[in-house]
Structure formats: structure tokens, C-alpha cells
Amino acid sequence: MGKDVEGRGEFIAKDYHDPPPAPLIDAEELTQWSLYRAVIAEFIATLLFLYITVLTVIGYKSQTDTAKNGDVCGGVGVLGIAWAFGGMIFVLVYCTAGISGGHINPAVTFGLFLARKVSLVRAILYMVAQCLGAICGCGLVKAFQKSYYTKYGGGANGLVSGFSKGTGLGAEIIGTFVLVYTVFSATDPKRNARDSHVPVLAPLPIGFAVFMVHLATIPITGTGINPARSFGAAVIYNEDKAWDDHWIFWVGPFIGAAIAALYHQYVLRAAAVKALGSFRSSSNI
């Protein structure tokens, strides 16, 4: 068993072996309670995420509504909204990481699936649970504050006037890349073994990534980077504006997640070089 050893001001990393890739389809997984427990955890986490964050967005808009004697400079502001999204991701990933991995985002699940971290069955069930959780979370907000929910847009994402569809798509691709790249880096077992003397609380950098991306892209798309978040708000709000450019909030995040997965696995972790080396070795036998 490998362990950290400190001596002469240096650290010797833990022994490390790459975990085997998840099977594409694992029928046995469907018979295990742990899978369904994880799916339930993803559903509840996404529900709570949408409930808190959409309430924050609507609360900010109502507090700054000058037609109701609101203060333009009042409310939590864009900074507060970004903190709400990033903070909730930090809290929920911390709570669910040991159960489901704390994805709370179909784009994250898709990226991990491409990297063979989760099976196809688990990925599909997670995405369905996340979308249903998002719908239920927004439904709770509408049930509690129906008049405000309808008047202030229901927290639905949409391309801000003045920006092209290409700009919005690019913002979603880059924003999701930052998030999924952070997820891979913060949860990389090789890094944890190599840099075990540098403790990393994985939910913290992930939450900060969400926070920083929101600061940058709220003025462009309202910030999606999570197809379930965009889909749940659009379903419950259900106005044309919410659906006009909705494809951006699926295509962008999935492309960004795919690029992040490929970059981490084949460039940073050099999976392509390892595969080529293994192929050459077998050819010389």
C-alpha cells in the first residue's frame, strides 16, 4: 500500500493505478440499489439547485423593479446571483459526491461518460433525473410565487438582445468547458495521489468555476452551462422567449463538455500516447 512520505523537504507520491474504464452497458448495474439511490440523489440535488437559484433570480428582479418602487441598485445584483449558483453547486456537490458523484448537470455527466467514468445506463438515468429535478424545482418556485414567477421570466435562459446566436453558443461552449475541465481536474485520482500533500476539497473549485462563469456570461445568455437548468425553467415558464434559442443551451454545453473531456483525457493525461505505446509494444511481440 502506497503512502505519503516526507523527507528532506520532498514528498513521495502515493502509489497510483488508473481505475478501469466503466463498461458501456452494464446490465448488472440495473439490479443494484446503489444506482437508484444515486439517481434519486441527482434528482433531489437538481431540484434544490433550481429552487434556490431561480428564487434568487426572481427576487433580484422584483427588488429592482422600478415600477414597484424598487431600487435599481438594490437586491443581490449579478454578483449575488453568481454566488447563489456557485454556492449551491458547492453545497450540493459536497452533499452528494459520495453517493452519485454530484453531477447535477447533464453536461458534466456527458463529459464523464465520454471519459468512461460512468456507464451509458447510469449516464442516461442521471440526465433524466436531473431534468425532472429541474422541472420540479422550478415548479415549486412557481407554486409559491406564481405572479412573480410569470412576471419576471421564471429564471429562464435566453439570448440577451444585442448578441448573436454564435456569440451565445460560444459563451456556452467556453463556460461549460471551464466547468467540466475543473470537474476533471478536481476529481482526478492521479492528481490526488501525486499531490496528496496539497489537500483539495473538490466541491470548492467546482463551485468557484460556476461562480466565475456566471459573472462572465450572465450578460450574454443569462448563463446556462447546465441543460437541465435551462430545460426545467423553460418547461415551467413555457413562453416563446424561453424556447426561441433553447437549442443553444443544449448544444453549447455538450460541445464544451466533450472538448473538456478530450482535452483532459488525451492531452493532459496523455491517453492517446499511452494507447499508441501499448499498440507498438504489442506489435513488437
Side-chain angles (χ1 to χ4, degrees):
M1 181 180 296
K3 61 180 180 180
D4 295 332
V5 179
E6 181 179 2
R8 299 179 183 178
E10 296 180 353
F11 289 87
I12 299 177
K14 292 180 180 179
D15 294 338
Y16 172 78
H17 299 284
D18 275 317
L24 181 62
I25 298 176
D26 186 1
E28 185 179 351
E29 192 174 31
L30 291 170
T31 66
Q32 299 173 349
W33 164 244
S34 59
L35 171 63
Y36 301 102
R37 179 183 63 179
V39 170
I40 293 170
E42 287 292 311
F43 170 82
I44 295 298
T46 315
L47 183 155
L48 295 174
F49 176 60
L50 268 292
Y51 175 73
I52 296 297
T53 53
V54 171
L55 268 181
T56 302
V57 171
I58 292 174
Y60 165 67
K61 289 185 176 180
S62 67
Q63 290 171 331
T64 56
D65 186 356
T66 54
K68 288 193 172 184
N69 297 321
D71 183 359
V72 177
C73 297
V76 297
V78 172
L79 183 64
I81 293 173
W83 269 121
F85 279 88
M88 278 304 292
I89 287 297
F90 168 73
V91 170
L92 294 170
V93 171
Y94 181 84
C95 291
T96 61
I99 301 171
S100 66
H103 298 190
I104 322 172
N105 185 336
V108 171
T109 300
F110 181 66
L112 293 174
F113 165 71
L114 292 180
R116 301 292 299 278
K117 304 295 184 183
V118 296
S119 68
L120 177 61
V121 171
R122 184 176 291 264
I124 292 174
L125 290 177
Y126 273 20
M127 291 182 191
V128 171
Q130 290 155 1
C131 289
L132 291 177
I135 292 171
C136 292
C138 291
L140 284 177
V141 177
K142 185 174 183 178
F144 294 153
Q145 298 192 13
K146 186 172 183 178
S147 60
Y148 281 4
Y149 186 90
T150 303
K151 181 175 182 179
Y152 297 115
N157 287 124
L159 194 61
V160 176
S161 178
F163 291 98
S164 67
K165 288 179 173 61
T167 300
L169 181 63
E172 289 296 308
I173 291 173
I174 295 172
T176 311
F177 173 87
V178 171
L179 170 59
V180 178
Y181 174 40
T182 304
V183 170
F184 274 106
S185 298
T187 60
D188 187 349
K190 182 176 182 180
R191 174 176 180 170
N192 292 337
R194 183 190 63 211
D195 301 332
S196 56
H197 59 288
V198 183
V200 176
L201 181 62
L204 186 59
I206 295 171
F208 261 105
V210 173
F211 167 67
M212 296 304 295
V213 171
H214 273 76
L215 286 182
T217 58
I218 282 177
I220 303 173
T221 61
T223 308
I225 69 171
N226 183 336
R229 174 261 185 273
S230 303
F231 181 68
V235 167
I236 299 300
Y237 183 55
N238 200 28
E239 298 286 343
D240 289 342
K241 183 180 179 181
W243 295 110
D244 285 344
D245 302 306
H246 186 70
W247 64 272
I248 289 175
F249 302 101
W250 284 90
V251 175
F254 272 48
I255 292 175
I259 295 172
L262 294 174
Y263 174 62
H264 184 269
Q265 293 297 105
Y266 291 95
V267 177
L268 300 186
R269 293 295 305 278
V273 175
K274 293 177 184 176
L276 180 61
S278 176
F279 174 76
R280 287 176 174 174
S281 298
S282 63
S283 298
N284 293 329
I285 295 176

